[in-house]
Amino acid sequence: MTLTHPVSLTLTPIEARVLATLMEKARTVPDSYPLSLNSLMLGCNQKSSREPVMDLSEADVAGALENLMALSLVRANTSGRVTRYEHNFQRGAGVPEQSAVLLGLLMLRGPQTAAELRLNTERWYRFADVSSVEGFLEELQERSPDKGGPLVIKLDRAPGAREQRWAHLLCGPVDAAQFAQSGSARGTDGAPGTLARIEQLEAEVAQLKATVLKLCSELGVSPPIPGVAQT
């Protein structure tokens, strides 16, 4: 695939949310992708896995799509009854898949440590280890001016944290002081944030329930009823 290298790429927060949502859904719900305008709006306004949470209207999303298409970051598919949209981020931004994945998660969830990014990107791309994540982040930070300049920045360590977080620069320079203040509300020492831990625990509980039901079926016994003591 031939990559293009824009001189500069500055998005609004709404454009970043729309673009990153398309990038997410392309990997997590491929059967429903490309997305209609309504589906895209719902994805942008999700209450989970979003930082910050937004409440965008269809007009907000439509306006962002127009600008993103002008930047060659989004394409519209008009072959069906309903127009559907898909991202063109890797080619439009001139970055490889791994870098696109990291930028997409940073746009959706805000600043994160390399460890958080490795966990949160599992449904998008499986990095071998944290060092691999850091390697791609460093490449994005050292991106040369002829390719558009740096796309991420490594923030100063927040009070009480062991690991530094990374932030994207697709919406322009970041306010490091603001992110430092918000650091205490997130996971520290490189551990996943509270939301990520909850999502992981829910997935593990669902898997355990399925295993118990399967074992009960094979043994010919009734599954346990939550809250009822077994005799």
Side-chain angles (χ1 to χ4, degrees), residues 208-222:
L208 287 172
K209 285 182 178 178
T211 300
V212 170
L213 290 174
K214 181 179 179 181
L215 288 173
C216 288
S217 176
E218 292 176 351
L219 295 173
V221 300
S222 300

Side-chain angles (χ1 to χ4, degrees), residues 66-103:
E66 286 185 12
N67 294 335
L68 290 169
M69 286 189 286
L71 293 170
S72 299
L73 295 176
V74 167
R75 293 186 296 238
N77 185 332
T78 58
S79 59
R81 294 177 59 186
V82 176
T83 301
R84 294 182 175 272
Y85 302 91
E86 59 185 339
H87 79 87
N88 185 42
F89 184 75
Q90 286 171 237
R91 184 183 296 273
V95 296
E97 178 183 17
Q98 297 92 330
S99 298
V101 165
L102 295 172
L103 288 167

Side-chain angles (χ1 to χ4, degrees), residues 127-140:
F127 288 91
D129 48 38
V130 175
S131 296
S132 177
V133 173
E134 291 175 336
F136 282 101
L137 288 170
E138 289 167 0
E139 286 184 5
L140 288 170

Side-chain angles (χ1 to χ4, degrees), residues 168-188:
H168 74 85
L169 296 173
L170 291 166
C171 294
V174 302
D175 184 347
Q178 176 186 352
F179 286 130
Q181 291 295 323
S182 66
S184 59
R186 300 171 56 88
T188 58

Side-chain angles (χ1 to χ4, degrees), residues 115-152:
E116 288 178 316
L117 283 166
R118 187 193 177 210
L119 174 67
N120 292 333
T121 56
E122 281 194 346
R123 294 180 66 193
W124 295 35
Y125 182 92
R126 289 185 178 272
F127 288 91
D129 48 38
V130 175
S131 296
S132 177
V133 173
E134 291 175 336
F136 282 101
L137 288 170
E138 289 167 0
E139 286 184 5
L140 288 170
Q141 183 174 238
E142 298 166 3
R143 199 165 184 250
S144 62
D146 65 300
K147 292 184 178 180
L151 293 179
V152 300

